Amino acid sequence: MTEPTQAAMQPFTVDIDTATGAMPGARNRLVRRASDLKGYYADGAALERLITEGDDPLHYEVFEVPVPEEAGQLMYCISKLQAGRVGDECFMTKGHYHTVESTAEIYICLQGEGYMLMKTRDGQSSCERMAKGRMVYVPPFWAHRSANTSATEPLVSFCVYPGDAGHNYGDIQTQGFPVRVFDRDGRISVEEC
Amino acid sequence: MTEPTQAAMQPFTVDIDTATGAMPGARNRLVRRASDLKGYYADGAALERLITEGDDPLHYEVFEVPVPEEAGQLMYCISKLQAGRVGDECFMTKGHYHTVESTAEIYICLQGEGYMLMKTRDGQSSCERMAKGRMVYVPPFWAHRSANTSATEPLVSFCVYPGDAGHNYGDIQTQGFPVRVFDRDGRISVEEC
């Protein structure tokens, strides 16, 4: 099968410290602070205190060297989620479906520990433990959010997804996930909402 | 944008030793020995001696936990290319275009050192150094082959490509690449053919 040749893009390399996720050549695509997560945590008052009295701490960052957001390309990034609690709830990402829902995503945890929470529109739910060296395969049609269960260490993952996948945050913002991850006096607890 | 929900596949995890590329839960999808590389090296007689007198040594292996080979999925694998020489030429993979040529591939080198050789149908050529922690982005429409320049250590990479990419080996088998990688008495040399 021969297609028209359209090799307009040049190969490139990016150095990644696979022990820490540091990617010096990347730019910071996305920064989320506590104030960006309003409405996401069970204890809204605790989040407000964190924002007003806790100096609106950094929640997570996404680092990447951009490639065209097109079918056939592979988007990749380092996701770095800080350790912290909102009340008893572990810091987490907003979570999203892909806009093109038939697209998968691969996470490889490089540092830290946590959970990948996943759910489908037809009511399925899944929760996979993340730890250094563990790859989580998020199949097509599964929304996903990560939570950092460490008290001190960031949860750092290398992520890959198809170039045309896109992000749909709105559905998760309104519906949430079926479970939340808490730190109950040092004991991590995944609890149904 | 909402699509029909077809979440038939369940999430899963795979443990990877990011220092060595060991993936204990994987199956060995592909094994290539010296005898599988007939016609690929500059010194065919040296390859024949390796096969007949050298016990047909292992060249490379690909390990994976399979997912459906469909658009939207992400194929991933560990590629492990042994250290060795055929005459003066460094052990290398066959190399391939993707069958769907508009698809990219990501390599992350976890162990060892070498080169990623790349070329396009319209005559472009590129050669990127591979080393631990270095990611090589192979854009759409670029054929790619790796060569191991270490004298002793395997070249181990984690690879990701779109589920519908496919492999086209035939074109490389007949045309080769514009450069070859040699070990000239311990000095690595990338030479035009």
Short mmCIF file of all heavy atoms in Angstrom, two decimals, chain B residues 146-181:
data_model
loop_
_atom_site.label_atom_id
_atom_site.label_comp_id
_atom_site.label_asym_id
_atom_site.label_seq_id
_atom_site.Cartn_x
_atom_site.Cartn_y
_atom_site.Cartn_z
N SER B 146 16.89 0.72 13.60
CA SER B 146 17.86 1.05 14.64
C SER B 146 19.09 0.16 14.52
O SER B 146 19.03 -0.97 14.02
CB SER B 146 17.24 0.98 16.04
OG SER B 146 16.49 -0.17 16.20
N ALA B 147 20.23 0.71 14.95
CA ALA B 147 21.51 -0.01 14.94
C ALA B 147 22.14 0.13 16.32
O ALA B 147 22.08 1.21 16.93
CB ALA B 147 22.44 0.58 13.88
N ASN B 148 22.70 -0.95 16.81
CA ASN B 148 23.30 -0.96 18.16
C ASN B 148 24.81 -0.75 18.03
O ASN B 148 25.51 -1.57 17.46
CB ASN B 148 23.00 -2.31 18.83
CG ASN B 148 23.52 -2.37 20.25
OD1 ASN B 148 24.30 -1.50 20.68
ND2 ASN B 148 23.11 -3.39 20.99
N THR B 149 25.31 0.36 18.61
CA THR B 149 26.74 0.66 18.48
C THR B 149 27.56 0.19 19.67
O THR B 149 28.79 0.27 19.64
CB THR B 149 26.95 2.19 18.32
OG1 THR B 149 26.31 2.86 19.42
CG2 THR B 149 26.36 2.68 17.01
N SER B 150 26.91 -0.28 20.72
CA SER B 150 27.65 -0.77 21.87
C SER B 150 28.35 -2.09 21.53
O SER B 150 27.85 -2.88 20.73
CB SER B 150 26.70 -0.99 23.06
OG SER B 150 27.33 -1.74 24.07
N ALA B 151 29.49 -2.32 22.14
CA ALA B 151 30.21 -3.59 21.92
C ALA B 151 29.62 -4.71 22.77
O ALA B 151 29.82 -5.89 22.47
CB ALA B 151 31.69 -3.40 22.24
N THR B 152 28.90 -4.36 23.81
CA THR B 152 28.49 -5.38 24.78
C THR B 152 27.02 -5.32 25.18
O THR B 152 26.42 -6.36 25.48
CB THR B 152 29.31 -5.21 26.08
OG1 THR B 152 29.13 -3.86 26.54
CG2 THR B 152 30.78 -5.49 25.84
N GLU B 153 26.44 -4.13 25.18
CA GLU B 153 25.14 -3.95 25.82
C GLU B 153 24.01 -3.97 24.78
O GLU B 153 24.15 -3.40 23.70
CB GLU B 153 25.13 -2.56 26.50
CG GLU B 153 24.40 -2.49 27.81
CD GLU B 153 24.38 -1.06 28.35
OE1 GLU B 153 24.96 -0.15 27.71
OE2 GLU B 153 23.76 -0.87 29.39
N PRO B 154 22.87 -4.60 25.09
CA PRO B 154 21.73 -4.52 24.15
C PRO B 154 21.20 -3.09 24.07
O PRO B 154 21.36 -2.30 25.00
CB PRO B 154 20.69 -5.46 24.75
CG PRO B 154 21.04 -5.56 26.20
CD PRO B 154 22.53 -5.39 26.30
N LEU B 155 20.58 -2.77 22.94
CA LEU B 155 19.89 -1.48 22.77
C LEU B 155 18.40 -1.75 23.01
O LEU B 155 17.76 -2.47 22.24
CB LEU B 155 20.11 -0.96 21.34
CG LEU B 155 19.38 0.33 20.97
CD1 LEU B 155 19.87 1.51 21.82
CD2 LEU B 155 19.54 0.64 19.48
N VAL B 156 17.90 -1.22 24.12
CA VAL B 156 16.53 -1.51 24.55
C VAL B 156 15.69 -0.24 24.47
O VAL B 156 16.07 0.79 25.02
CB VAL B 156 16.50 -2.06 25.99
CG1 VAL B 156 15.08 -2.38 26.41
CG2 VAL B 156 17.40 -3.29 26.10
N SER B 157 14.57 -0.32 23.77
CA SER B 157 13.69 0.84 23.62
C SER B 157 12.25 0.46 23.91
O SER B 157 11.82 -0.66 23.65
CB SER B 157 13.76 1.40 22.18
OG SER B 157 15.08 1.75 21.84
N PHE B 158 11.52 1.43 24.44
CA PHE B 158 10.07 1.33 24.55
C PHE B 158 9.50 2.08 23.35
O PHE B 158 9.89 3.22 23.09
CB PHE B 158 9.58 1.95 25.86
CG PHE B 158 8.09 1.90 26.04
CD1 PHE B 158 7.48 0.77 26.53
CD2 PHE B 158 7.31 3.00 25.73
CE1 PHE B 158 6.10 0.71 26.69
CE2 PHE B 158 5.92 2.96 25.89
CZ PHE B 158 5.32 1.80 26.37
N CYS B 159 8.59 1.44 22.62
CA CYS B 159 8.08 2.00 21.38
C CYS B 159 6.56 2.11 21.44
O CYS B 159 5.90 1.22 22.00
CB CYS B 159 8.43 1.11 20.19
SG CYS B 159 10.10 0.43 20.24
N VAL B 160 6.02 3.16 20.86
CA VAL B 160 4.56 3.32 20.75
C VAL B 160 4.22 3.76 19.33
O VAL B 160 4.90 4.64 18.77
CB VAL B 160 4.03 4.39 21.73
CG1 VAL B 160 2.50 4.47 21.67
CG2 VAL B 160 4.47 4.13 23.16
N TYR B 161 3.16 3.17 18.77
CA TYR B 161 2.70 3.59 17.45
C TYR B 161 1.20 3.34 17.33
O TYR B 161 0.64 2.53 18.08
CB TYR B 161 3.48 2.88 16.33
CG TYR B 161 3.52 1.37 16.42
CD1 TYR B 161 2.62 0.58 15.70
CD2 TYR B 161 4.44 0.72 17.24
CE1 TYR B 161 2.65 -0.81 15.78
CE2 TYR B 161 4.47 -0.67 17.33
CZ TYR B 161 3.58 -1.42 16.60
OH TYR B 161 3.60 -2.79 16.69
N PRO B 162 0.54 4.04 16.43
CA PRO B 162 -0.92 3.89 16.32
C PRO B 162 -1.33 2.46 15.97
O PRO B 162 -0.63 1.76 15.22
CB PRO B 162 -1.29 4.87 15.21
CG PRO B 162 -0.20 5.90 15.22
CD PRO B 162 1.05 5.11 15.55
N GLY B 163 -2.47 2.06 16.49
CA GLY B 163 -2.94 0.67 16.35
C GLY B 163 -3.14 0.22 14.93
O GLY B 163 -3.05 -0.98 14.64
N ASP B 164 -3.39 1.14 14.03
CA ASP B 164 -3.64 0.77 12.63
C ASP B 164 -2.41 1.00 11.74
O ASP B 164 -2.53 0.92 10.51
CB ASP B 164 -4.83 1.57 12.08
CG ASP B 164 -4.58 3.09 12.13
OD1 ASP B 164 -3.70 3.53 12.90
OD2 ASP B 164 -5.26 3.81 11.39
N ALA B 165 -1.24 1.27 12.33
CA ALA B 165 -0.06 1.64 11.54
C ALA B 165 0.40 0.50 10.61
O ALA B 165 0.60 0.70 9.42
CB ALA B 165 1.09 2.06 12.45
N GLY B 166 0.54 -0.70 11.15
CA GLY B 166 1.03 -1.82 10.36
C GLY B 166 2.51 -1.69 10.02
O GLY B 166 3.14 -0.66 10.29
N HIS B 167 3.08 -2.76 9.45
CA HIS B 167 4.50 -2.78 9.11
C HIS B 167 4.69 -3.16 7.66
O HIS B 167 4.11 -4.13 7.19
CB HIS B 167 5.25 -3.80 9.99
CG HIS B 167 5.27 -3.42 11.43
ND1 HIS B 167 4.23 -3.71 12.28
CD2 HIS B 167 6.19 -2.77 12.16
CE1 HIS B 167 4.52 -3.25 13.50
NE2 HIS B 167 5.70 -2.67 13.46
N ASN B 168 5.52 -2.44 6.97
CA ASN B 168 5.88 -2.74 5.59
C ASN B 168 7.40 -2.93 5.56
O ASN B 168 8.15 -1.96 5.57
CB ASN B 168 5.43 -1.60 4.68
CG ASN B 168 6.01 -1.72 3.27
OD1 ASN B 168 6.71 -2.69 2.95
ND2 ASN B 168 5.72 -0.75 2.43
N TYR B 169 7.83 -4.20 5.55
CA TYR B 169 9.27 -4.50 5.56
C TYR B 169 9.84 -4.60 4.14
O TYR B 169 11.03 -4.38 3.93
CB TYR B 169 9.54 -5.83 6.28
CG TYR B 169 9.22 -5.81 7.75
CD1 TYR B 169 8.05 -6.35 8.24
CD2 TYR B 169 10.11 -5.23 8.65
CE1 TYR B 169 7.75 -6.33 9.60
CE2 TYR B 169 9.82 -5.20 10.00
CZ TYR B 169 8.64 -5.75 10.47
OH TYR B 169 8.35 -5.72 11.81
N GLY B 170 8.98 -4.96 3.20
CA GLY B 170 9.45 -5.31 1.86
C GLY B 170 10.22 -4.19 1.18
O GLY B 170 11.27 -4.43 0.58
N ASP B 171 9.74 -2.98 1.30
CA ASP B 171 10.38 -1.87 0.60
C ASP B 171 11.81 -1.64 1.09
O ASP B 171 12.70 -1.28 0.32
CB ASP B 171 9.57 -0.58 0.79
CG ASP B 171 8.30 -0.60 -0.06
OD1 ASP B 171 7.97 -1.66 -0.59
OD2 ASP B 171 7.66 0.45 -0.17
N ILE B 172 12.02 -1.82 2.39
CA ILE B 172 13.37 -1.63 2.94
C ILE B 172 14.27 -2.80 2.54
O ILE B 172 15.46 -2.60 2.26
CB ILE B 172 13.30 -1.51 4.48
CG1 ILE B 172 12.47 -0.30 4.88
CG2 ILE B 172 14.70 -1.44 5.07
CD1 ILE B 172 12.98 1.02 4.36
N GLN B 173 13.70 -3.99 2.50
CA GLN B 173 14.50 -5.16 2.12
C GLN B 173 15.11 -4.97 0.73
O GLN B 173 16.25 -5.34 0.48
CB GLN B 173 13.60 -6.40 2.13
CG GLN B 173 14.36 -7.71 1.96
CD GLN B 173 13.50 -8.91 2.28
OE1 GLN B 173 12.28 -8.82 2.35
NE2 GLN B 173 14.14 -10.05 2.50
N THR B 174 14.36 -4.37 -0.16
CA THR B 174 14.86 -4.19 -1.52
C THR B 174 15.69 -2.90 -1.68
O THR B 174 16.66 -2.89 -2.43
CB THR B 174 13.68 -4.15 -2.52
OG1 THR B 174 12.72 -3.18 -2.08
CG2 THR B 174 13.01 -5.51 -2.62
N GLN B 175 15.33 -1.85 -0.93
CA GLN B 175 15.99 -0.55 -1.16
C GLN B 175 17.06 -0.21 -0.13
O GLN B 175 17.93 0.62 -0.40
CB GLN B 175 14.93 0.58 -1.13
CG GLN B 175 13.84 0.42 -2.16
CD GLN B 175 12.58 1.20 -1.78
OE1 GLN B 175 12.62 2.11 -0.95
NE2 GLN B 175 11.46 0.84 -2.37
N GLY B 176 16.96 -0.76 1.08
CA GLY B 176 17.91 -0.42 2.14
C GLY B 176 17.78 1.02 2.59
O GLY B 176 16.78 1.69 2.31
N PHE B 177 18.80 1.48 3.31
CA PHE B 177 18.87 2.87 3.80
C PHE B 177 20.08 3.55 3.16
O PHE B 177 21.03 2.88 2.76
CB PHE B 177 19.00 2.89 5.32
CG PHE B 177 17.67 2.80 6.03
CD1 PHE B 177 16.99 1.60 6.11
CD2 PHE B 177 17.10 3.92 6.62
CE1 PHE B 177 15.76 1.49 6.76
CE2 PHE B 177 15.87 3.84 7.26
CZ PHE B 177 15.21 2.62 7.34
N PRO B 178 20.10 4.86 3.11
CA PRO B 178 21.23 5.58 2.49
C PRO B 178 22.53 5.47 3.27
O PRO B 178 23.59 5.77 2.73
CB PRO B 178 20.76 7.04 2.45
CG PRO B 178 19.28 6.99 2.67
CD PRO B 178 19.01 5.78 3.48
N VAL B 179 22.45 5.12 4.56
CA VAL B 179 23.67 5.00 5.37
C VAL B 179 23.70 3.66 6.09
O VAL B 179 22.67 3.04 6.31
CB VAL B 179 23.80 6.15 6.42
CG1 VAL B 179 23.92 7.50 5.74
CG2 VAL B 179 22.64 6.13 7.39
N ARG B 180 24.91 3.24 6.45
CA ARG B 180 25.14 2.06 7.27
C ARG B 180 26.02 2.46 8.45
O ARG B 180 26.79 3.41 8.35
CB ARG B 180 25.83 0.95 6.47
CG ARG B 180 24.97 0.36 5.36
CD ARG B 180 25.72 -0.74 4.61
NE ARG B 180 24.89 -1.39 3.59
CZ ARG B 180 24.03 -2.38 3.83
NH1 ARG B 180 23.92 -2.86 5.07
NH2 ARG B 180 23.32 -2.91 2.85
N VAL B 181 25.93 1.71 9.55
CA VAL B 181 26.68 2.04 10.76
C VAL B 181 27.75 0.97 10.99
O VAL B 181 27.42 -0.22 11.12
CB VAL B 181 25.75 2.14 11.98
CG1 VAL B 181 26.55 2.53 13.23
CG2 VAL B 181 24.62 3.13 11.73
#
